[in-house]
Amino acid sequence: MSLSALPQLETALDKTALAIAFEHPAGDLPPISRVRKVIQRFSDVLKDAFFTGLTADRVVRLRAAALDDIVIQVWRLFELDASDHTLLAVGGYGRGELHPYSDIDISILITDALNDVERQEIEGFVRYLMDLGFDVGQSVRTVHETRDAAAADITVITNLMEARVITGPRAIFYDIQAEIATTRMWNSEDFFTAKLSEQDRRHERYNDAFQQLEPNIKESPGGLRDIQVIAWVANRHFSSQGLSSLVGHGFLTEAEFNVLERGRSHLWRIRCALHFLAGRREDRLLFDHQKRVAELFGYTDAGSNRAVEHFMKDFYRTVRELSRLNEILLGLFQEAILQRDREVRTTPLSRRFQVRGNYIEVSNESVFVRTPPALLELFLLMQKNPTIKGVRASTIRLIRANLHLIDDSFRRDIRARSLFMEIIKEPRRIGHELRRMHRYGVLPAYLPAFARVEGLMQFDLFHVYTVDEHLLFVVLHMRRFSYPITEEDQPSLVRQVIERIPKLELLYLAGLFHDVGKGQGKDHSTTGAEDAEEFCQNHGLSLFDTNIVTWLVRNHLLMSNVSQRQDIYDPDVVAAFATTVGDQMRLDYLFLLTIADIRGTNPKLWTSWIHSLLSELYLITLRRMRSGGESPNDKTERIRETQAEARKHIDSSRFSEHAISVLWSTLGDAYFLRHRAIEIAWQTETILGADDADLPVVAVRNFEGRGSTAIFIYAVDMDYLFAISTATLDRLRLDVQDARIITSEANYTLDTYNVLDAETRSPVDDPLRIQEIQSRVRSSISAKEIPAMRTGQLGQRRLQPFKFPAAVGFSIAQAQSNTVMEVIAPDRPGFLSVIGRAMQNCGVRLHDARIATIGERAEDYFYITDFCNQPVISLETQNALRETIIRDLNA
């Protein structure tokens, strides 16, 4: 390989300058810095050429050619050219494909064991390359050692299959080629099986999903490694190099080969850009690179979607297509390699399909042309026959070739509509088959609303998957309510509710449509409801069922918002929610949709605390519906019942009825409306068991089914207590989920924080950690100082691309007793402490807080009054508070 093949960049690596750089007096080595300057000039020229239009294909081949020149110079420098050793390039370097900062993998073949002088020469050679700034992967083996290593390790044999001689005698290379031939080791079947297993493990590391937030260009499903797996298997089976040979062998059509080539070129271009922008090897398409690459490639904002979202949508489409081809080709290899000499039983399944070796296939190649609805029938048959492992590759190819048949006429065909509804109603494998329909292109072809959101990402840390992947994960989680894989899939309340659902297909349709309205610059809930209504009407659903589905899509965020942003113990909040929902059946459907939606959005978002909030809201609302609502007098009755229940949990042998009554008389109605009986009992015992000398008291407890750790603080009311407490909890790596602040008539504060461990997103149950929490919080309050913020809390690298201006808004709470302050801002260390300090400085008292951090975005709600416990209605106070919070958050 030579630069002369690329005359317009012939001077990219200045060979004359390189030769001069390697000149040196006898006994000395040329200075590393002098050689590195020549290499750096080459890298700069290559980078400039790429940014001005040089293709990635030429970049990777230019770099491999340049590395040959450099490596040969270093080889000669250590007089290895006079030895009988052979230097091989292996792996990507062996293919002549080196990205800007990729490793260089080499293998040194030796005839016999090395003596001390030879060992020092080779060690010096490798060390010098590393000193030049290259990441070197290397091995030094005899032919027999190489043969043994290749026989034992699939990675070694794979590298050697792509080896080429850089310099040295070729005879030994021919010897090793003979030793690793398929007749001696790793025949086609063994090699294919090992590579398929290797790919399955790699895909599993990425949750078998290519549409992830920060995908790995090389390793993720549908990435460059998937293309290379095809080439490796073809190489081993056909003893040929490159993907083009598969066309001649009938494994690839010309069109499929062109798709592979375009896909690889696209991913190569992205990978080159990542390497050049990062100034190092970087195969992850990180947030801070996504925007820069999109801009570099000329993407612009269009409509309601940003340039980066358009860029990522093209990326996802590319890897989806590559993933489909990977599945087809490996399926064809499986049939040709693993099943070629085996008698495979064929069993008729219907007039149009049969099963061959546990894989479904068409009975003849004209099935889809003659009966287009068979494109849906295939998936229904797979649901009904769970022993079928998959679809034969030849049939997948036919599906792809006949997708054009799914047009408006197809969608109006009563046979197609009936088949699709049968798929939705089938009690088995709906999640799996919808994902398969998506993978083969059938689902987006049949549902245009779904096609609109295919590959649509949302540039934030909240949504882990693209919209289409999210919708399918939601349906998958819904299915697991009935057929759980883990205990978490079916909590007891979910099990009770799912058994009452009259028509599960309505739940699945709501899950499939709830986000299809995104990306259009409108309210996605309303747009999605319109799409769902049209689908239901076209597919023969009754007016009642249609209304259920459209109501669920339109209100799919309702329960999540109420549970996480409002006080679910406020009767007025529950009354308003119950009125909107209307009846128990809708409540049941909405409860299940909400859980599946959150779990399908981000695995880290679903916590036991969120589950407990939703469950409590569900049960409180259900009680209200069954009782027919509350009158104002019912609040008094509710407080009386709560106090009576709390007394049952209090140790009457330690605490007198009189002491309890005196304490409770100072706490006010809000305390008993906002706390559960068991919490009241615990806090009452904590307070009555303490003396003034014990203040401040800090107690920690985990309540069964609560899903969080409760931290209770009892102290004389003081300035900046909320700021001090939350700053301390932040330094303890605890995430506050909920805060309830009560000030008694006796001027004591009763503050309750429900927290989760910031790392595990679970309650704190380690006794030593609990002791540390109590000690640190008590010390901070006693010192009356706000602890310094800690750094590195949120992974600032990931947050940097998502900076947006903070916003603070005010409204009057439903009960009219306080003001709701909403703060939406980028999350940061000490967020709550900043707000607590601002409230104190502006003469505002906090009574309750709902904390919701969504990815990079904090959306918190604070229920506040002035120091006279009146709503904050003064515009002057509101503006002062807003300006202070925004200023301090930006500090």
Side-chain angles (χ1 to χ4, degrees):
M1 191 179 297
S2 171
L3 289 176
S4 61
L6 301 157
Q8 69 271 39
L9 281 178
E10 190 170 3
T11 58
L13 177 64
D14 189 332
K15 292 187 178 182
T16 302
L18 185 68
I20 293 172
F22 272 100
E23 291 178 354
H24 61 284
D28 290 331
L29 293 176
I32 291 291
S33 58
R34 191 169 68 193
V35 180
R36 291 189 72 159
K37 285 181 181 178
V38 177
I39 296 172
Q40 186 60 52
R41 280 199 298 271
F42 162 73
S43 297
D44 291 343
V45 169
L46 203 59
K47 179 179 178 180
D48 291 343
F50 174 74
F51 285 160
T52 54
L54 184 69
T55 66
D57 181 82
R58 295 176 76 80
V59 168
V60 300
R61 302 193 191 285
L62 272 170
R63 185 165 185 261
L67 259 293
D68 282 356
D69 292 333
I70 295 166
V71 168
I72 289 171
Q73 286 280 6
V74 180
W75 186 260
R76 292 170 180 167
L77 181 65
F78 288 88
E79 300 180 350
L80 290 167
D81 54 325
S83 71
D84 55 2
H85 310 323
T86 300
L87 178 62
L88 304 182
V90 297
Y93 185 25
R95 295 192 303 271
E97 301 167 358
L98 269 186
H99 285 263
Y101 289 93
S102 291
D103 299 352
I104 59 171
D105 293 323
I106 57 175
S107 179
I108 301 172
L109 295 179
I110 58 178
T111 53
D112 291 302
L114 299 174
N115 59 42
D116 291 342
V117 174
E118 291 173 323
R119 183 176 293 104
Q120 289 177 2
E121 289 173 343
I122 289 176
E123 289 175 352
F125 163 73
V126 173
R127 190 182 308 112
Y128 197 90
L129 285 175
M130 297 176 70
D131 288 343
L132 289 176
F134 300 115
D135 290 326
V136 182
Q138 50 83 29
S139 66
V140 182
R141 299 187 181 108
T142 64
V143 170
H144 293 309
E145 289 170 339
T146 302
R147 178 198 61 198
D148 293 344
D153 191 332
I154 187 69
T155 303
V156 175
I157 184 67
T158 304
N159 276 336
L160 288 172
M161 283 163 46
E162 300 173 314
R164 62 181 174 84
V165 176
I166 300 175
T167 186
R170 291 183 173 270
I172 193 172
F173 174 61
Y174 298 143
D175 289 343
I176 196 60
Q177 284 185 311
E179 290 288 345
I180 66 171
T182 54
T183 55
R184 299 194 177 188
M185 66 174 69
W186 291 107
N187 60 38
S188 294
E189 182 172 339
D190 292 340
F191 186 82
F192 174 81
T193 302
K195 277 298 172 188
L196 188 60
S197 176
E198 189 179 70
Q199 175 173 287
D200 288 343
R201 291 194 302 272
R202 174 168 52 84
H203 284 186
E204 190 175 347
R205 291 201 305 270
Y206 294 93
N207 297 320
D208 290 308
F210 51 78
Q211 300 185 175
Q212 298 202 359
L213 213 60
E214 295 182 304
N216 188 300
I217 298 295
K218 184 178 179 181
E219 302 291 344
S220 292
L224 289 168
R225 185 68 78 195
D226 278 11
I227 301 175
Q228 203 54 51
V229 168
I230 297 169
W232 286 327
V233 173
N235 181 341
R236 198 68 186 161
H237 186 58
F238 295 117
S239 300
S240 58
Q241 296 286 341
L243 296 170
S244 58
S245 65
L246 292 177
V247 178
H249 288 290
F251 276 76
L252 263 182
T253 66
E254 279 290 345
E256 290 169 341
F257 173 71
N258 290 334
V259 168
L260 276 177
E261 285 284 280
R262 285 196 303 270
R264 181 172 65 176
S265 295
H266 186 59
L267 295 186
W268 272 7
R269 188 183 181 210
I270 295 173
R271 193 179 183 205
C272 279
L274 289 175
H275 282 214
F276 280 132
L277 290 172
R280 55 182 170 77
R281 184 183 63 191
E282 179 57 88
D283 296 330
R284 298 166 301 164
L285 194 47
L286 303 174
F287 288 127
D288 46 352
H289 294 321
Q290 288 173 13
K291 294 177 74 172
R292 297 170 69 192
V293 175
E295 182 180 350
L296 176 67
F297 288 3
Y299 286 85
T300 57
D301 295 347
S304 60
N305 295 321
R306 290 170 286 184
V308 66
E309 293 169 345
H310 290 292
F311 161 65
M312 291 302 294
K313 189 167 188 175
D314 283 348
F315 166 77
Y316 291 131
R317 283 173 173 166
T318 297
V319 293
R320 181 186 299 110
E321 196 64 39
L322 291 175
S323 184
R324 289 167 180 162
L325 281 175
N326 174 272
E327 181 179 1
I328 290 173
L329 290 168
L330 292 185
L332 290 171
F333 281 132
Q334 185 171 31
E335 295 164 13
I337 297 172
L338 299 187
Q339 301 171 1
R340 59 184 172 182
D341 298 324
R342 299 175 187 172
E343 183 177 343
V344 180
R345 181 182 176 185
T346 300
T347 306
L349 198 59
S350 72
R351 291 170 53 196
R352 288 166 290 277
F353 296 97
Q354 60 192 21
V355 177
R356 182 189 296 270
N358 292 325
Y359 285 80
I360 193 171
E361 67 176 4
V362 292
S363 56
N364 64 77
E365 292 192 356
S366 62
V367 160
F368 297 132
V369 174
R370 291 177 180 175
T371 312
L375 286 162
L376 294 175
E377 181 188 3
L378 176 144
F379 302 98
L380 179 61
L381 289 172
M382 293 196 68
Q383 285 179 289
K384 291 179 177 294
N385 297 273
T387 58
I388 297 175
K389 291 182 178 180
V391 184
R392 282 180 67 86
S394 55
T395 298
I396 298 174
R397 179 176 277 160
L398 279 175
I399 293 171
R400 300 286 301 144
N402 287 283
L403 285 177
H404 66 279
L405 297 175
I406 305 179
D407 54 14
D408 288 341
S409 176
F410 181 101
R411 298 182 196 101
R412 289 192 298 268
D413 191 322
I414 188 62
R415 295 172 298 171
R417 291 179 174 181
S418 298
L419 282 165
F420 190 83
M421 285 307 301
E422 282 192 69
I423 291 171
I424 296 296
K425 293 178 181 180
E426 175 61 36
R428 290 172 292 191
R429 299 181 62 83
I430 177 155
H432 289 90
E433 291 314 309
L434 284 178
R435 294 190 75 185
R436 193 190 305 273
M437 291 170 70
H438 181 217
R439 196 161 66 246
Y440 297 167
V442 172
L443 188 61
Y446 186 71
L447 296 179
F450 186 88
R452 286 199 306 265
V453 296
E454 195 173 23
L456 179 63
M457 72 165 290
Q458 293 159 94
F459 192 65
D460 56 40
L461 285 172
F462 176 53
H463 297 90
V464 173
Y465 306 107
T466 56
V467 177
D468 51 332
E469 284 284 311
H470 162 66
L471 295 175
L472 297 179
F473 272 120
V474 168
V475 176
L476 187 65
H477 283 297
M478 288 173 169
R479 194 65 197 134
R480 288 179 180 171
F481 292 157
S482 300
Y483 296 91
I485 295 177
T486 67
E487 289 185 8
E488 191 179 60
D489 290 332
Q490 195 191 60
S492 58
L493 182 58
V494 168
R495 182 173 62 253
Q496 295 170 31
V497 174
I498 197 73
E499 290 174 353
R500 285 199 301 268
I501 293 295
K503 294 183 178 181
L504 285 173
E505 64 267 24
L506 304 185
L507 180 65
Y508 299 150
L509 288 174
L512 193 57
F513 277 90
H514 76 280
D515 273 352
V516 296
K518 288 190 172 180
Q520 300 182 59
K522 306 174 185 176
D523 175 17
H524 79 277
S525 299
T526 300
T527 304
E530 293 169 356
D531 289 325
E533 182 177 24
E534 180 182 0
F535 172 90
C536 292
Q537 291 172 348
N538 290 340
H539 287 75
L541 273 71
S542 68
L543 179 60
F544 181 85
D545 289 350
T546 298
N547 287 339
I548 288 288
V549 175
T550 54
W551 184 89
L552 286 170
V553 173
R554 186 175 291 109
N555 293 279
H556 71 272
L557 296 174
L558 174 64
M559 196 168 193
S560 177
N561 287 339
V562 172
S563 65
Q564 296 181 60
R565 298 178 179 180
Q566 299 185 47
D567 183 1
I568 62 175
Y569 303 108
D570 184 337
D572 294 323
V573 170
V574 177
F577 175 69
T579 299
T580 303
V581 175
D583 57 49
Q584 182 180 343
M585 186 175 65
R586 283 187 176 184
L587 179 64
D588 288 346
Y589 276 114
L590 183 60
F591 176 62
L592 297 176
L593 172 59
T594 304
I595 291 176
D597 188 15
I598 296 173
R599 293 190 65 183
T601 297
N602 186 332
K604 295 181 179 179
L605 185 65
W606 181 250
T607 64
S608 52
W609 168 249
I610 297 295
H611 178 223
S612 72
L613 285 179
L614 290 172
S615 298
E616 287 195 50
L617 177 58
Y618 173 87
L619 293 171
I620 292 170
T621 306
L622 185 59
R623 282 197 298 269
R624 182 180 180 86
M625 287 177 171
R626 289 176 173 174
S627 68
E630 288 183 338
S631 67
N633 293 332
D634 289 333
K635 288 186 180 181
T636 302
E637 179 62 21
R638 181 176 164 191
I639 292 172
R640 188 192 66 76
E641 290 177 355
T642 300
Q643 290 179 342
E645 181 66 23
R647 281 186 169 90
K648 295 178 183 179
H649 297 283
I650 297 174
D651 185 351
S652 58
S653 66
R654 293 179 57 208
F655 307 106
S656 69
E657 177 63 33
H658 175 72
I660 295 171
S661 298
V662 170
L663 172 63
W664 285 2
S665 68
T666 67
L667 301 183
D669 290 350
Y671 176 80
F672 296 98
L673 290 171
R674 289 160 57 192
H675 292 78
R676 297 181 303 164
I678 194 170
E679 293 173 316
I680 294 170
W682 169 54
Q683 294 180 5
T684 298
E685 289 187 341
T686 299
I687 294 170
L688 294 179
D691 296 324
D692 286 346
D694 298 327
L695 299 184
V697 173
V698 179
V700 180
R701 180 170 173 178
N702 289 311
F703 290 98
E704 184 178 355
R706 188 60 170 164
S708 64
T709 295
I711 299 175
F712 174 59
I713 300 172
Y714 179 67
V716 176
D717 195 20
M718 57 179 279
D719 291 344
Y720 302 108
L721 180 58
F722 180 75
I724 293 170
S725 303
T726 53
T728 306
L729 296 177
D730 177 73
R731 290 191 64 83
L732 287 164
R733 302 191 68 79
L734 297 171
D735 282 347
V736 177
Q737 307 296 302
D738 174 77
R740 280 168 283 173
I741 313 298
I742 298 289
T743 303
S744 72
E745 294 176 4
N747 202 38
Y748 288 91
T749 186
L750 294 79
D751 298 352
T752 306
Y753 298 93
N754 285 293
V755 304
L756 296 176
D757 182 278
E759 300 298 326
T760 66
R761 306 297 297 159
S762 60
V764 179
D765 53 13
D766 179 9
L768 293 178
R769 184 109 194 270
I770 290 175
Q771 289 179 14
E772 181 189 18
I773 292 170
Q774 292 175 298
S775 175
R776 293 270 294 275
V777 173
R778 193 170 190 274
S779 296
S780 295
I781 295 173
S782 298
K784 298 184 178 181
E785 292 182 358
I786 302 175
M789 297 176 192
R790 64 186 176 90
T791 58
Q793 175 190 17
L794 296 167
Q796 294 301 311
R797 189 274 303 165
R798 298 189 83 204
L799 291 174
Q800 193 59 39
F802 303 106
K803 294 298 184 183
F804 60 91
V808 179
F810 299 90
S811 60
I812 300 298
Q814 286 181 312
Q816 303 290 315
S817 59
N818 50 39
T819 298
V820 181
M821 179 177 71
E822 178 185 23
V823 180
I824 300 177
D827 200 7
R828 52 159 287 177
F831 186 92
L832 294 178
S833 180
V834 167
I835 293 172
R837 190 198 302 258
M839 287 190 289
Q840 184 73 41
N841 290 339
C842 293
V844 168
R845 173 174 290 160
L846 176 66
H847 295 269
D848 203 354
R850 311 295 291 183
I851 312 302
T853 301
I854 305 171
E856 77 290 347
R857 185 183 182 93
E859 294 187 7
D860 297 346
Y861 293 80
F862 303 91
Y863 294 77
I864 59 176
T865 66
D866 59 23
F867 283 170
C868 296
N869 292 323
Q870 297 300 310
V872 179
I873 58 176
S874 164
L875 292 180
E876 181 180 353
T877 303
Q878 290 182 5
N879 289 335
L881 184 55
R882 179 187 293 109
E883 291 171 4
T884 302
I885 290 174
I886 292 175
R887 181 196 67 214
D888 292 349
L889 285 177
N890 291 332

